[in-house]
Amino acid sequence: MSITMAKPSSIWQKLNLSQAFGLFTALMILFTAVAISALTFHTQSNNSEQALQHQSQLQLKRLAVALAPSLLNEDRVSLNLTLNEWQRGEFIQAIRILNTDQQVIAETGRFASAAMTTSQSITQDNLAIGTIQAAIDNAVASQSLRRDFAMNLLASALFACIGALLAYQLSERNLSYLRQLPQKLKNWQHGDSFTLEAPQIQDLQPLHDSLKEIAETEQQRRAVEKALGQFINTEPNNQGQHFRYQSCAMLYIEIQELEVLQNRLSAAELSSLLNQYHKLLSQAAKLYNGKLDRFQGDGIVMLFGLPESRPQDALHCLYAAELFLGLVSHLREHDSKLLPLEFRIAAHFGSVLLTPIGEEQHLQGSLVGDTIHWASHLAQHGEERRLLASQSILDEIAQHSDIDWDSGPQISDLHGKEVPSYWLNQLPEKNQSLIQRQIKHITAMTEQA
């Protein structure tokens, strides 16, 4: 059995950035202060020694003058008396007199082996007649210097602690922005709004501005996605869980300049605006058995004939389009606060693929293929507030000759063949009257609400 020893982690890895910055600041202050204190101690020590040497030399010179006559007469008694009576001061430990043969002829005090010594020649008529040696004690001065050095170290440690605390607080103040950023981004990812206070330091301001701009764009996108998500059909599929094709009528309602609106309006304003038009589409779909299937491209898809087709699906498609256009026109004339949207509407008839989606087996129409392509292509060639229909939907209502059509543009299909399209000019009078009553009823209900 082998045992793997864990490598000890570095102290810097155990600290957060603020703590590491505070510790680094403390070490830098302490290192700098110790270096300055040591240099100061060394300089003052040298200066103290030089001062002691200078003072000692002055005393020895005066003593040499006093001792010269006795030394010249070799009067050792007088030399010892003079030395004993001489005030050496606190820094001169001992003095001795040497003759020209370097023999000690008088002495006072005790010479220590480690003591600092200095000497002064004794002259008479410019002739050397002896030498004075003195042992200098710099313990008092050294003790004072060491005490000052210790105080400097204590002051340095105090300043290092203060500097570390200030560095830590400053780092915490500035890094708090970065610390809360991951959680804010995670919450934002899960759908919450991105709210973050501006950073304390200017270096992080460009990052904050960029994040704020991205958040606003994403919030706008989510709001639009949520608003447009209302146009998705979620009706349970009661027809089984198998794939099948179903013929149905389709309205493709293209919103004009949607990207411009996204840039001009806030997310809340755009969402509110789309909600109002969604209500109109929902009313039109509900009255004529249509289903708002989804939002695709810049268009909203409404299907008629799902889950089961009916003979009136193509007619209901036309009626729902006229009802929606009538509701839009009425609101434009009577609601000045509502921002007007322009729509191009195309009607087409074809087959879609029904697929069971998800655990609840929601009914979905697969809008990949010629049907959706042709409906979208028709809408692109349409005009505002006019319904453009394909030949296929006219074929479905061929028996209804009382509907008035105008010739539309020739449009190239997927194979490059020119095919006709038609503008809906006028529904039969009874149907048109019914739609007008429906418009009044729906708008009255909306105004009361």
Side-chain angles (χ1 to χ4, degrees), residues 125-192:
D125 296 331
N126 295 327
L127 293 175
I129 59 175
T131 304
I132 303 176
Q133 288 184 347
I136 302 174
D137 181 14
N138 62 347
V140 176
S142 297
Q143 183 178 3
S144 177
L145 290 175
R146 286 193 294 270
R147 184 171 59 251
D148 292 342
F149 181 67
M151 294 298 295
N152 288 337
L153 290 182
L154 289 176
S156 301
L158 179 61
F159 282 121
C161 292
I162 295 175
L165 181 61
L166 291 176
Y168 175 79
Q169 293 294 338
L170 182 62
S171 299
E172 281 292 298
R173 181 181 179 186
N174 293 324
L175 292 177
S176 60
Y177 178 85
L178 295 178
R179 287 213 180 92
Q180 61 178 323
L181 189 57
Q183 187 61 43
K184 292 290 186 179
L185 291 175
K186 185 180 293 185
N187 295 339
W188 179 47
Q189 184 182 10
H190 292 146
D192 293 345

Side-chain angles (χ1 to χ4, degrees), residues 139-385:
V140 176
S142 297
Q143 183 178 3
S144 177
L145 290 175
R146 286 193 294 270
R147 184 171 59 251
D148 292 342
F149 181 67
M151 294 298 295
N152 288 337
L153 290 182
L154 289 176
S156 301
L158 179 61
F159 282 121
C161 292
I162 295 175
L165 181 61
L166 291 176
Y168 175 79
Q169 293 294 338
L170 182 62
S171 299
E172 281 292 298
R173 181 181 179 186
N174 293 324
L175 292 177
S176 60
Y177 178 85
L178 295 178
R179 287 213 180 92
Q180 61 178 323
L181 189 57
Q183 187 61 43
K184 292 290 186 179
L185 291 175
K186 185 180 293 185
N187 295 339
W188 179 47
Q189 184 182 10
H190 292 146
D192 293 345
S193 59
F194 185 80
T195 55
L196 194 62
E197 294 182 1
Q200 299 292 332
I201 53 178
Q202 292 299 320
D203 290 345
L204 293 177
Q205 191 62 43
L207 173 63
H208 178 75
D209 295 339
S210 298
L211 289 174
K212 185 177 179 181
E213 183 178 351
I214 293 173
E216 290 176 352
T217 303
E218 178 64 14
Q219 184 177 0
Q220 183 91 342
R221 186 195 66 79
R222 288 179 180 179
V224 174
E225 185 178 276
K226 181 178 180 181
L228 296 178
Q230 300 175 98
F231 298 100
I232 297 177
N233 174 43
T234 56
E235 180 181 343
N237 181 10
N238 298 320
Q239 304 299 321
Q241 300 182 3
H242 57 279
F243 293 85
R244 64 188 178 91
Y245 281 97
Q246 175 72 44
S247 295
C248 63
M250 175 186 300
L251 277 183
Y252 191 94
I253 306 162
E254 185 179 274
I255 303 175
Q256 298 298 294
E257 298 182 347
L258 182 58
E259 293 184 0
V260 177
L261 290 173
Q262 292 179 11
N263 295 328
R264 285 179 52 194
L265 303 179
S266 66
E269 292 172 339
L270 183 58
S271 177
S272 175
L273 177 64
L274 291 175
N275 286 341
Q276 295 186 61
Y277 285 99
H278 171 261
K279 293 177 182 178
L280 303 183
L281 277 174
S282 298
Q283 292 287 351
K286 183 178 180 180
L287 286 175
Y288 291 102
N289 298 318
K291 301 184 185 303
L292 290 175
D293 188 81
R294 69 190 61 192
F295 183 87
Q296 181 161 322
D298 287 339
I300 303 161
V301 179
M302 187 184 296
L303 299 177
F304 299 83
L306 297 179
E308 296 295 336
S309 60
R310 303 178 183 84
Q312 300 85 5
D313 290 337
L315 282 174
H316 287 172
C317 177
L318 304 182
Y319 298 160
E322 285 296 294
L323 175 57
F324 173 68
L325 291 176
L327 289 171
V328 171
S329 298
H330 183 275
L331 287 183
R332 283 189 176 181
E333 295 173 359
H334 297 86
D335 190 350
S336 59
K337 296 181 180 180
L338 180 66
L339 182 65
L341 289 183
E342 294 293 346
F343 301 91
R344 294 178 182 175
I345 303 182
H348 183 50
F349 194 91
S351 61
V352 295
L353 178 64
L354 300 185
T355 60
I357 303 296
E359 297 180 358
E360 297 181 0
Q361 299 304 324
H362 287 167
L363 179 67
Q364 297 289 334
S366 175
L367 303 186
V368 177
D370 292 351
T371 303
I372 182 60
H373 170 79
W374 189 242
S376 173
H377 199 49
L378 276 175
Q380 293 175 8
H381 289 79
E383 295 179 359
E384 295 173 358
R385 285 179 275 178

Side-chain angles (χ1 to χ4, degrees), residues 61-80:
K61 284 180 180 180
R62 291 194 294 270
L63 182 59
V65 173
L67 294 176
S70 298
L71 183 60
L72 186 62
N73 296 325
E74 297 183 358
D75 187 354
R76 295 191 178 190
V77 176
S78 298
L79 290 174
N80 284 311

